[in-house]
Structures are given as C-alpha cells and as structure tokens.
Amino acid sequence: MSIKSDFPLFANNPDLVYLDYANTAPKPQVVIDAVMEYYTHYSGNVHRANHDVGGRADEAYENARVKIGQFVGVGRDQVVFQKNTTEGINLVANSYAGKHFKKGDRILATGLEHHANLVSWQLLSGRIGTETVFSKVDEHGNFDEKDWMVKVASGVKLAAFTAVSNVTGERLPIERMIAAARAHGVVTLIDAAQLLPHERADFAKLGADFMVFSGHKVYGPTGIGILIGKPEALESMDPWIGGGDMIDTVSLLGSTYQEPPLRFEAGTPPIASVIGLGVAVEYLGEKLDREHQEEESTAMECLLEGLRQVKGLRWLGHPSCDSRLVSFVIDGVHSADLGAYLNEKHVAVRVGKMCAHPLLAQSGVDSVVRASIGLPTDGTDIDKFLYAIERGVTILR
Amino acid sequence: MTVAERAVELEEELDYLDRDEKFEWLIDRGKSLEANGTYTDADLVKGCQSKVWLQVSTNGDKVHIEGTSDALITKGIVGLLVELFDTAPTGEVKDFDFIAWLAKNEMSLSYQRMQGLAGMLQRIRMTIK
Ligand SMILES: Cc1ncc(COP(=O)(O)O)c(C=O)c1O
C-alpha cells in the first residue's frame, strides 16, 4: 500500500499533485481519528477538571507531551506547547532574551532566516535595544559558514538559526554550529520547522539550548507548535503572557508561577491538536528510516533532473537529492503566472517571497516558485508536475 | 457601445472555450495588451502577487482607464478592465459587477489573484465615486 492511502486528502482530491509540504503537510487518517476521538469521546478540559471526561483528556494530553518529547529525545518537562514555530521563537525572544539581555547585546542570525526568526528579534531590539547581526549569504543564496563562525566568536549572546532553509532547502551544519557556539558561551536556538519533517534530531545530543518546530509541518494538526528547551534555560524564564508588570493580574487568574512547561501555557490549550500531534510524531517517527529517506531522495532527484531540462530555469542555492524542496525562477515567465497555471493543473506549489524577503532580495529575484516534497510524494506526482511546468512555460513565454 | 454590450461581445468569444482555453485566452490578452503609458509607484495596486499599475481618471462623465502588469494573467485582467470600462460612462462602470461576470464566465482565478483584483476594482471605484 502506498503511503498516499494513509492521507484522506488524496482520496478526496484524486487529481491533486501536492508539492507544498514545506508550507503545511497533509494529515494522515490516524491523526484525524485521534482529533476526532477527543471531540467525540472525552472532550473535557485539561488540568482543571474533577471528572472522568476531563481526566481522560488530561491523560491523553500529557501522554502526547511524553511522545513529542521522545520524538526529539527529551523528557516531558522540556516540551512547551505553543501555537507554532513563530510563537515559540517569540517566547524565547521575550522571556529568555528579554530577561537576560540588555541594550547593545547582539543576537546572531543567518541571512537565510524565515521572518519568524527575524522579526521576533527585531521586535526585541525595538523593545530593549539589542542588536541583530546576520551571517552572510553568497550570491547563490548559500550559507556562509566561515562568516558565521567568525561572528559567533565576536561576543554575540545568542545565535538563532534555521536548520534547513525554507527557500533553498539547504541543511545547515547545525552540529558544528552548536559546538562553536557552546565553545564561546553563546546560547543557541534551532528553528527546526523544515528539519524535523525529514530528519530525526536528538535535542540532548545536539546540545542546543532551544529548538522550535511546528506541528502542522510534521503531519500534525495546525494550532500547535513546540518549544524544546534545556531545563535550566526554561527555568530561568518568566511567563510571557501576563508576565512582567502584569503579575498581579496573572495571580488573579490563579496562575502563580508554575514550573516549566506549564508556566508558559496560560489558558486552555489546543487539546485536540496536542493529542493529534502526539500521534503524528509517532507516525512520522516510524517513517524516518533509511528506506523512506531514500524514497524521498529518489523523488527529489527526479524532480531536480526534470527541472534541469527546463530552459532558462535557475534555482536558488544548490539543491541536491538530499534536499526536500527547491525554489526556482524561469526566464521570461512570471512566477505568479506559473503558479496560477500549475494550480489550473491541480499542482499545488508555493509562489512568492517565502516569508524570506531579505534572502530573495539578496538573490536578485522578486518571487519564486517552490516545490517541496514529503512522505506521500511519488513518481506520478513528479511526472505530472514536470509535465505541467513544460506546458506552462510554452504557454506563458 | 455600453459596458453590457461590450461584455456580451467578450462572452461570445468565451462561450466556445473550455477551461484550459479560457486560461490561454486570458494569457493572450495579457500578451497583446499595449501599455504605452509611463507608470509610477503611485499607480501600483496593493495586494497583488505580481506588480500591477493602474491609472484611472474621469473626463466629465467618461472613465479613462489604462494600465499594465509584469505578469500575464494580471495583465490580461487589466486588459479586460480596459476593454469593458475605458471611455464608458461612470454610471455604467459603477453598476457592472466584474467579479460576478468573471464567475459567470467560469474564469477561475486563485484566491490570491482575487485579492489583487479587489485592489484594482477598489482603485476604479475610488476614482469614479
Ligand atoms: C524555517 C521556518 N521557520 C519558521 C516557519 C514558521 O512556521 P509557522 O508559520 O508554523 O509558525 C516556517 C514556515 O514556513 C519555516 O519554514
């Protein structure tokens, strides 16, 4: 049985060629069932019910936390539920950097960041006067490791970096980066939004201080994202929602300073999404083996080989069979037109600036088409995509 | 010709086309739209994935509209707006529901594109109000 049959999206859209996994992934039936079961069988609130329905919800919810922790090699106390990657980064910026850093302290990012890992730091700068510095990107849009290594040794306080670029698909050498950062006493945050859908990461082994990812990109529900932190780092943070000056109001809500992770989870959480994510990481975890990775690599290689045949096509960075996405422009064809044509042919890709305006500006392009693959992607998808590209270019040039 | 009559003329062409052909028809209108004017950033319409420049003015009761885009579909849409509305009386332009007309003729436009279109129509409405 093909993996596709696990995903009702494809049964309900038989013509769909979905190549927008990097944006959000389809959900397998097991995840949908888990969400549904919560709502149909035990839809109580967590942490505050004295009845059995609530008790069941509590158990499933905290059980999911354990599974999510196991997925990245940490204990449950290190798993903080947030809304998405973006919110996780903002929490660190506000509650960690905002508390421990002062005016003039520098934060290092790469030139490849998604806006989530860029605007959060700019907002912090506006608030407390920190400064954000960026490592260079070469003219193809590749990470400049040498430059980053120099900068990480220049007295920066925190290095926040994406593990995989959502524009070029480049996987950064995060192991070396973390080692260098640690050697210089620099706190690290990994944006693993594009890494974890395709690669296992053991947080404890990596040795970073923080890691964030989004549930919806790892085949889980929307509305749930995860911040993983070292215990002592989380312990040192104040709550963000209702934190600081508003501490009185917070205690009126009955929320004295809880221990992490609950300290950062004010209000009723997205219970069903958490439970769904627990199932999603189990599902994905079983498939992050060599066999499935080779299948994804083969699909990627076919995709790139096909694109190489398109005249006037230029991609950003140096995608290879190890990448899981590729962004490109085609001479004489506007990306918006190509995206619209692909949509006509039921091919779903991402078109635009990919929430990475600086990187696109640096690469000298205004908007790109991005195709990204996932577990269910098969040869038929790639063939249909390439055929549509070829036809589209003929019509649109 | 009234706006309604112009619309009927276009419909006669569209009636014979299937979905794929309609897409190409719009692209061809984009390719053949003559954009002689000089446009500035003030003419840019917000909310489009591509860049759209639109100049709308009135001369007495008559609407003048011209524009262009860096992408062909949006350029095709600008072409349709020009064809339907240029030199037409403001009252007729105001009364014509362009989005409903596109839908009636089964011209599928993705959601994002519709957003850009909303900006173009807004620009027209603001000028002739
Ligand atoms: C590298 C990277 N970081 C962060 C994000 C933001 O994720 P979310 O919108 O789920 O917060 C994305 C989403 O595209 C991403 O690709």
Side-chain angles (χ1 to χ4, degrees), chain A residues 336-337 344-345 395-397, chain B residues 20 31 72-73 108 113:
Chain A
D337 286 335
E344 285 289 302
K345 299 288 138 198
I395 291 166
L396 295 166
R397 241 190 204 134
Chain B
D20 280 0
K31 285 181 181 168
L72 289 171
I73 299 176
S108 78
R113 215 157 280 292

Side-chain angles (χ1 to χ4, degrees), chain A residues 22 84-86 114 116 162 164 166 191 193-194 214 216-217:
Chain A
N84 45 37
T85 298
T86 305
H114 185 281
T162 190
V164 171
N166 67 309
D191 174 352
Q194 298 294 353
S214 290
H216 68 96
K217 292 188 206 278

Side-chain angles (χ1 to χ4, degrees), chain A residues 332 334-341 343-346 350-352 366-367 391 394-397, chain B residues 19-20 23-24 27-28 31 49-51 69-75 108-113:
Chain A
H334 198 291
S335 301
D337 286 335
L338 188 56
Y341 180 78
N343 183 51
E344 285 289 302
K345 299 288 138 198
H346 315 291
R350 178 89 191 268
V351 178
D366 199 39
S367 97
R391 285 282 304 141
T394 314
I395 291 166
L396 295 166
R397 241 190 204 134
Chain B
R19 187 177 160 136
D20 280 0
F23 184 88
E24 292 187 36
I27 291 293
D28 286 339
K31 285 181 181 168
Q49 229 174 45
S50 42
K51 287 196 173 113
S69 170
D70 61 348
L72 289 171
I73 299 176
T74 32
K75 207 170 160 195
S108 78
L109 297 166
S110 77
Y111 172 65
Q112 295 210 18
R113 215 157 280 292

